[in-house]
Amino acid sequence: MKIIKADNYEHMSKMAARTMASQIALKNNSVIGLATGDTPLGMYRELIKIYEDEELDFSNIKTFNLDEYYGLNIDNENSYYFYMMNNFFKHINMRKENINIPNGMTENIEAECFSYDKKIKASGGIDIQVLGIGVNGHIGFNEPNTSFEVGTHLVELEKETIKSNSRFFNSPEEVPTKAISMGIKTIMQSRAIMLLASGEKKAAAIEKAVKGKISTAVPASILQLHNNVTLIVDKAAGEFI
Ligand code: PGA
């Protein structure tokens, strides 16, 4: 695992955006795995700047998002579809048909999950997957004790995750309790992975992910077995590594 320690959140975001921009510049039809949450917001802002200032071309890029809440419509402002459109896609020249986010309103979960993985494969596989990390070590919405061997699937969110994500909702009761998430198996099939973490509340999870035993108790620990992972942390998140 390649570990890069950034000075702060801005620096982490700039390095992450530069990594993505060079992937796109080198392969204009790259397949990119994207994440939501607070952590990648700075990276998206930087990528929009690079798009505007340096004419980075997203017109042949395909994206696959890690996850989506189950039961939220795309026009719900807490859906990850809404987040992606507002924070990134509407500001760049992505083609709508190249954007893939699990359908949280599906009536057939199994078919949705199966076809999501199939579509990733059919597109040639993910060139680079962006990941955040939960305070409990989750990646995507793969909570502790999820099998490493599953593809995209329906997930029951942990209390801690619901609590942490309730900051975006009016009350914790409004947070969906389920999500559709790429599985660890799907994530591990990406050719490259870039994990971002910022702030002291992530320091313990990062320590366990990087130095701890590989165990489903800390889903991110599986990344130790991937041969092309870049971890970009700011000083606070990287305190123990
Ligand atoms: P955050 O979420 O970027 O909002 O901290 C990361 C995650 O829970 O995976």
Side-chain angles (χ1 to χ4, degrees):
M1 190 180 296
K2 186 170 154 197
I3 298 176
I4 301 177
K5 290 195 182 173
D7 298 333
N8 51 39
Y9 179 75
E10 284 313 306
H11 189 207
M12 178 202 77
S13 301
K14 282 197 171 126
M15 284 199 282
R18 277 290 154 206
T19 304
M20 295 305 277
S22 58
Q23 170 69 40
I24 292 164
L26 290 170
K27 186 181 173 194
N28 77 352
N29 61 348
S30 292
V31 180
I32 290 179
L34 294 174
T36 50
D38 281 339
T39 311
L41 281 173
M43 179 190 76
Y44 292 135
R45 277 195 295 269
E46 289 298 325
L47 272 172
I48 294 165
K49 252 193 239 159
I50 299 173
Y51 164 75
E52 288 168 351
D53 299 345
E54 300 167 33
E55 295 175 11
L56 190 64
D57 181 15
F58 289 86
S59 62
N60 291 312
I61 296 297
K62 275 202 183 111
T63 62
F64 286 88
N65 262 76
L66 279 171
D67 44 22
E68 177 59 283
Y69 285 118
Y70 180 62
L72 289 195
N73 221 313
I74 57 173
D75 54 14
N76 184 312
E77 56 188 64
N78 282 308
S79 74
Y80 287 158
Y81 183 93
F82 194 94
Y83 168 111
M84 288 308 301
M85 287 298 162
N86 274 288
N87 292 309
F88 193 39
F89 294 143
K90 78 172 187 196
H91 305 283
I92 57 171
N93 66 334
M94 274 295 294
R95 288 207 207 126
K96 222 166 175 192
E97 64 267 28
N98 287 344
I99 294 169
N100 298 281
I101 301 174
N103 173 13
M105 295 299 285
T106 182
E107 279 169 16
N108 188 339
I109 295 164
E110 218 170 290
E112 172 67 20
C113 295
F114 182 76
S115 71
Y116 203 67
D117 283 336
K118 205 167 148 200
K119 211 165 173 193
I120 293 174
K121 275 207 187 95
S123 71
I126 292 173
D127 289 303
I128 183 164
Q129 173 69 54
V130 181
L131 294 178
I133 186 169
V135 287
N136 62 3
H138 75 199
I139 46 177
F141 266 140
N142 294 284
E143 302 286 32
N145 305 316
T146 305
S147 161
F148 287 151
E149 288 157 44
V150 294
T152 299
H153 63 297
L154 185 73
V155 171
E156 292 272 350
L157 302 181
E158 276 206 338
K159 275 207 184 80
E160 197 176 0
T161 302
I162 293 172
K163 197 173 134 213
S164 163
N165 290 3
S166 67
R167 66 192 190 274
F168 303 111
F169 292 78
N170 293 325
S171 70
E173 291 72 44
E174 279 181 31
V175 187
T177 56
K178 293 183 179 134
I180 294 177
S181 177
M182 273 188 208
I184 303 272
K185 185 173 162 193
T186 324
I187 293 170
M188 288 295 280
Q189 283 167 347
S190 308
R191 282 186 274 282
I193 291 174
M194 180 169 71
L195 174 63
L196 307 178
S198 163
E200 61 184 326
K201 67 176 192 289
K202 299 291 174 70
I206 286 293
E207 181 185 24
K208 286 184 209 150
V210 174
K211 291 184 169 173
K213 207 172 96 194
I214 298 167
S215 153
T216 56
V218 183
S221 64
I222 189 70
L223 299 175
Q224 293 175 34
L225 296 180
H226 193 285
N227 65 7
N228 191 359
V229 177
T230 303
L231 168 64
I232 310 181
V233 284
D234 64 7
K235 275 203 186 108
E239 193 185 345
F240 306 131
I241 56 169

